[in-house]
């Protein structure tokens, strides 16, 4: 165990966590402890049903403001800003931007990862010759979820994007690339980079060669010259060009779910975690070889902690709607006034009264992959009240997680013994007990929940020399946690899951019933 450091021995690491609904800047010390942070929400734009966009300038402005405010708090606590030695970046994945290298400005709003406008694009791509080869090369199915399909839509539907590409002015990137570009100077020398974890979510990266794949680019009609350079998740990307941290190097970059794996210290093959945020994302470390799923999961790069380090892969199951279902109950239906109320309501009834809520508000992701599914509540009777709906919402996330765990067992042939959890919905004791009951294994929740930001800080600190190895990271702190153990038997668990699967089937095909007028023009 490492000895506790004194203040004179302390160095600090900043972490930018740019998520789907908010941006945060957090400062950790070199014992891995959170010192202070600042968070800002930003507007979500819904131009049409199923469309979700962000204003790219909001992403940058929120990052800048969060850095300024967190550093101000840090200094008010008596700390010296010069002791912040490096910064890491973690980001919402699959969200797509295209910007003009001559102006540094985005050409179109960011299309968010859960945007469902590309349903028709998906069908067209799936109908192309050799479309089954895509998943073999990149580990991802052709779905509205991934960046490649969104970029294809932009090229087809936004003349300004096509013109910029033809005139060699266009730069493409996921949110990490947009942040790194702007943080390091923008049009005045900003870098155009992406790390392995984010690159593996574009559909353009060959998992075996760990490089952009010419065949995939041809399939999606994407020119190579607009793509960022692919680098590791832990190295020097450039220095911050503005504000109170001007000159501080950026050393870490990871997609948010992979960052949570690092923050949860899932460094061994067989380790798994689930992050319950806007969506829910369960990752399973498969070591230095990628596993091609036969059960609806994604094969993805987890991390590469240094240019000369081996690439670590993962199986992933993604649930499109988790915390966003809570927001929907709050903002759209008014059943709750805050997210914290959901668990309280759910705990007031022993079950859902036969109600099942399939939260396919933007289709179903793993392991179902049904873009035609839509949100469905079944089993409503005169007996049903808002408490049952609240509990059914928590159960929906747990059933979806169980479906992914079953697929992982089939693909990896390794049973999970424990599931590490983090993210906003993991704060609910009721929700995590329901999770344990439905999946039938222990659920472990860390006392320090900021594991996504901590993972980016770990990646930055490793490259900056603050920590020497992942082994050192594992011994940084005592990992206090809460453990939730199953309280229902296998018979009841199986019965409830069978009913859930029947509810899922009833959600299929709804876009065919209502038509596709909400899809692209």
């Amino acid at each position: 165990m490492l000895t506790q450091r004194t203040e004179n021995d302390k160095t600090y690491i900043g972490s930018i966590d740019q998520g789907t609904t908010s941006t945060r800047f957090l400062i950790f010390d070199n014992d891995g402890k959170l010192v202070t942070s600042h968070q800002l929400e930003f507007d979500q734009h819904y131009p049409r049903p199923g469309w979700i966009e962000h204003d790219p300038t909001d992403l940058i402005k929120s990052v800048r403001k969060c850095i300024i405010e967190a550093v101000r708090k840090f200094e008010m606590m008596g700390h010296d800003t010069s002791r912040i030695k490096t910064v890491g970046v973690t980001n919402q994945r699959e969200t797509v931007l295209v910007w003009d290298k001559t102006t540094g400005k985005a050409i179109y709003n960011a299309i968010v990862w859960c945007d469902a406008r590309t349903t028709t694009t998906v069908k067209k791509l799936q109908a192309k010759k050799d479309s089954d080869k895509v998943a073999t090369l990149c580990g991802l199915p052709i779905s509205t979820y991934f960046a490649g399909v969104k970029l294809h839509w932009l090229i087809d539907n936004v003349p300004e994007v096509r013109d910029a590409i033809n005139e060699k002015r266009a730069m493409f990137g996921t949110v990490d690339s947009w942040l790194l570009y702007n943080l390091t100077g923008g049009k005045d020398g900003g870098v155009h980079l992406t790390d392995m974890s984010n690159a593996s979510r574009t559909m353009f990266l060959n998992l075996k060669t760990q490089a952009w794949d010419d065949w995939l680019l041809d399939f999606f009609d994407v020119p190579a010259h607009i793509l960022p350079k692919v680098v590791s998740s832990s190295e020097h990307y450039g220095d911050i060009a503005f504000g109170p941290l001007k000159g501080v190097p950026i050393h870490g970059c990871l997609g948010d779910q992979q960052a949570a794996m690092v923050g949860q210290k899932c460094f061994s093959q067989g380790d798994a975690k689930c992050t319950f945020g806007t969506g829910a994302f369960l990752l399973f470390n498969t070591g230095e070889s990628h596993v091609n799923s036969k059960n609806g999961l994604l094969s993805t790069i987890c991390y590469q902690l240094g240019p000369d380090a081996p690439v670590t892969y993962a199986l992933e199951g993604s649930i499109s709607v988790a915390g966003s279902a809570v927001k929907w109950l709050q903002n759209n239906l008014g059943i709750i006034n805050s997210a914290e109320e959901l668990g309280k309501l759910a705990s007031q009834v022993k079950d859902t009264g036969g109600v099942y809520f399939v939260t396919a508000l933007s289709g179903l992701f793993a392991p179902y992959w049904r873009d035609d599914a839509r949100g469905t509540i079944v089993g409503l009777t005169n007996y049903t009240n808002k408490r049952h709906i609240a509990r059914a919402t928590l159960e929906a996330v747990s059933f979806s997680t169980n479906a992914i765990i079953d697929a992982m067992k089939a693909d990896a042939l390794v049973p999970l013994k424990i599931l590490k959890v983090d993210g906003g919905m993991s704060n609910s004791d009721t929700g995590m007990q329901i999770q344990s009951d439905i999946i039938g294994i222990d659920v472990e929740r860390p006392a320090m929940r900021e594991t996504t930001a901590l993972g980016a800080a770990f990646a930055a600190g490793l490259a900056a020399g603050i920590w020497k190895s992942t082994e050192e990271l594992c011994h940084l702190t005592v990992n206090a946690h809460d453990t939730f153990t199953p309280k229902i038997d296998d018979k009841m668990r199986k019965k409830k899951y069978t009913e859930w699967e029947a509810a899922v089937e009833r959600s299929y095909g709804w876009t065919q019933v209502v038509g596709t007028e909400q899809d692209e023009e």
Side-chain angles (χ1 to χ4, degrees):
M1 182 66 67
L2 297 178
T3 57
Q4 192 72 15
R5 297 178 174 91
T6 66
E7 180 60 28
N8 289 335
D9 297 324
K10 293 282 187 183
T11 55
Y12 299 91
I13 306 95
S15 183
I16 296 166
D17 183 356
Q18 203 299 297
T20 309
T21 59
S22 70
T23 298
R24 299 182 300 161
F25 186 72
L26 305 90
I27 301 173
F28 297 91
D29 67 18
N30 51 348
D31 287 318
K33 295 179 180 178
L34 178 63
V35 179
T36 191
S37 65
H38 192 75
Q39 179 174 4
L40 287 172
E41 293 190 352
F42 51 85
D43 291 338
Q44 310 291 303
H45 300 277
Y46 306 99
R48 300 184 188 183
W51 292 34
I52 308 176
E53 297 178 357
H54 292 156
D55 181 340
T57 60
D58 285 347
L59 304 185
I60 298 303
K61 287 179 180 178
S62 62
V63 168
R64 293 188 179 201
K65 289 179 181 178
C66 284
I67 290 174
I68 291 169
E69 288 303 311
V71 169
R72 183 183 63 81
K73 294 177 185 177
F74 184 73
E75 292 175 340
M76 289 179 66
M77 296 168 71
H79 300 298
D80 184 351
T81 301
S82 67
R83 288 184 176 271
I84 300 176
K85 299 300 184 182
T86 185
V87 169
V89 175
T90 183
N91 56 282
Q92 53 169 311
R93 306 173 304 169
E94 295 94 18
T95 296
V96 166
L97 301 102
V98 178
W99 62 96
D100 189 321
K101 68 173 66 176
T102 61
T103 65
K105 296 180 179 180
I107 299 172
Y108 190 85
N109 271 352
I111 301 180
V112 182
W113 60 270
C114 48
D115 181 285
R117 76 184 64 189
T118 54
T119 301
T120 302
T121 297
V122 166
K123 293 176 182 176
K124 291 177 181 176
L125 291 170
Q126 288 173 337
K128 289 182 69 173
K129 182 181 178 181
D130 295 329
S131 62
D132 56 342
K133 187 177 176 181
V134 172
T136 303
L137 293 175
C138 71
L140 310 174
I142 300 173
S143 164
T144 60
Y145 182 16
F146 302 109
V149 176
K150 295 176 173 65
L151 179 57
H152 186 89
W153 183 92
L154 281 169
I155 294 170
D156 276 355
N157 292 274
V158 181
E160 294 84 356
V161 170
R162 286 200 305 275
D163 291 345
I165 289 174
N166 291 336
E167 295 167 12
K168 302 292 180 71
R169 294 183 285 110
M171 302 175 83
F172 157 79
T174 43
V175 170
D176 58 309
S177 297
W178 176 243
L179 295 182
L180 290 173
Y181 174 76
N182 282 278
L183 287 167
T184 57
K187 66 182 179 64
D188 299 316
V191 299
H192 190 205
L193 303 173
T194 188
D195 93 294
M196 283 284 182
S197 70
N198 281 292
S200 71
R201 314 300 293 190
T202 61
M203 306 194 80
F204 307 144
L205 192 83
N206 185 306
L207 288 184
K208 288 184 178 179
T209 65
Q210 300 155 12
W212 300 131
D213 187 275
D214 290 339
W215 187 91
L216 289 169
L217 293 175
D218 286 343
F219 181 86
F220 286 100
D221 298 319
V222 170
H225 66 81
I226 71 171
L227 302 180
K229 179 183 177 181
V230 183
V231 295
S232 80
S233 310
S234 182
E235 60 180 84
H236 183 216
Y237 308 108
D239 299 341
I240 294 178
F242 62 87
L245 297 184
K246 184 177 181 179
V248 174
I250 302 170
H251 277 110
C253 183
L254 287 156
D256 53 9
Q257 304 312 317
Q258 289 94 330
M261 284 286 277
V262 175
Q264 288 271 31
K265 303 174 186 176
C266 293
F267 298 128
S268 299
Q269 186 175 353
D271 287 346
K273 70 89 204 175
C274 189
T275 297
F276 298 98
T278 303
F281 305 88
L282 201 161
L283 273 72
F284 179 95
N285 185 326
T286 61
E288 294 180 26
S289 60
H290 74 277
V291 176
N292 284 322
S293 177
K294 298 179 180 178
N295 295 280
L297 301 179
L298 313 176
S299 188
T300 193
I301 290 176
C302 197
Y303 51 78
Q304 183 189 21
L305 297 177
D308 299 321
V311 169
T312 295
Y313 294 88
L315 280 172
E316 177 176 338
S318 306
I319 303 165
S320 59
V321 174
S324 56
V326 181
K327 286 286 188 183
W328 182 77
L329 292 181
Q330 177 183 338
N331 298 334
N332 293 37
L333 297 191
I335 288 177
I336 54 175
N337 294 315
S338 68
E340 291 74 23
E341 284 186 28
L342 186 69
K344 294 177 183 177
L345 274 179
S347 67
Q348 294 170 11
V349 289
K350 64 179 181 179
D351 56 38
T352 65
V355 172
Y356 289 87
F357 179 13
V358 182
T359 53
L361 304 182
S362 54
L364 287 171
F365 288 176
Y368 308 103
W369 297 111
R370 294 292 297 254
D371 295 330
D372 62 334
R374 285 296 179 264
T376 307
I377 301 177
V378 300
L380 296 173
T381 65
N382 289 331
Y383 174 73
T384 304
N385 60 46
K386 64 182 181 180
R387 297 168 183 83
H388 298 114
I389 301 295
R391 193 173 186 93
T393 303
L394 292 177
E395 285 197 357
V397 178
S398 299
F399 284 126
S400 299
T401 303
N402 189 70
I404 291 169
I405 289 174
D406 283 349
M408 286 183 173
K409 289 177 184 177
D411 279 333
L413 303 177
V414 178
L416 293 184
K417 295 181 179 179
I418 193 167
L419 180 64
K420 298 180 180 182
V421 298
D422 53 61
M425 287 188 76
S426 72
N427 292 328
S428 168
D429 288 356
T430 300
M432 292 304 97
Q433 185 58 56
I434 289 172
Q435 182 69 83
S436 179
D437 288 342
I438 288 175
I439 65 177
I441 60 176
D442 286 356
V443 169
E444 186 179 287
R445 181 181 65 190
M448 206 286 287
R449 315 285 168 78
E450 305 294 353
T451 52
T452 300
L454 181 61
F458 281 165
L462 286 169
I466 294 171
W467 301 296
K468 304 301 182 186
S469 66
T470 56
E471 290 76 14
E472 183 178 351
L473 295 179
C474 289
H475 293 291
L476 276 179
T477 57
V478 176
N479 293 318
H481 60 264
D482 300 315
T483 300
F484 300 87
T485 301
K487 292 183 178 179
I488 66 174
D489 59 28
D490 288 341
K491 183 178 179 181
M492 176 57 71
R493 184 176 301 113
K494 184 177 180 180
K495 176 180 181 296
K496 290 173 69 69
Y497 189 65
T498 299
E499 292 169 353
W500 161 258
E501 289 285 275
V504 169
E505 289 183 10
R506 284 158 174 77
S507 75
Y508 292 162
W510 190 247
T511 59
Q512 298 167 13
V513 175
V514 300
T516 58
E517 68 273 6
Q518 70 268 42
D519 297 333
E520 67 223 63
E521 294 178 326

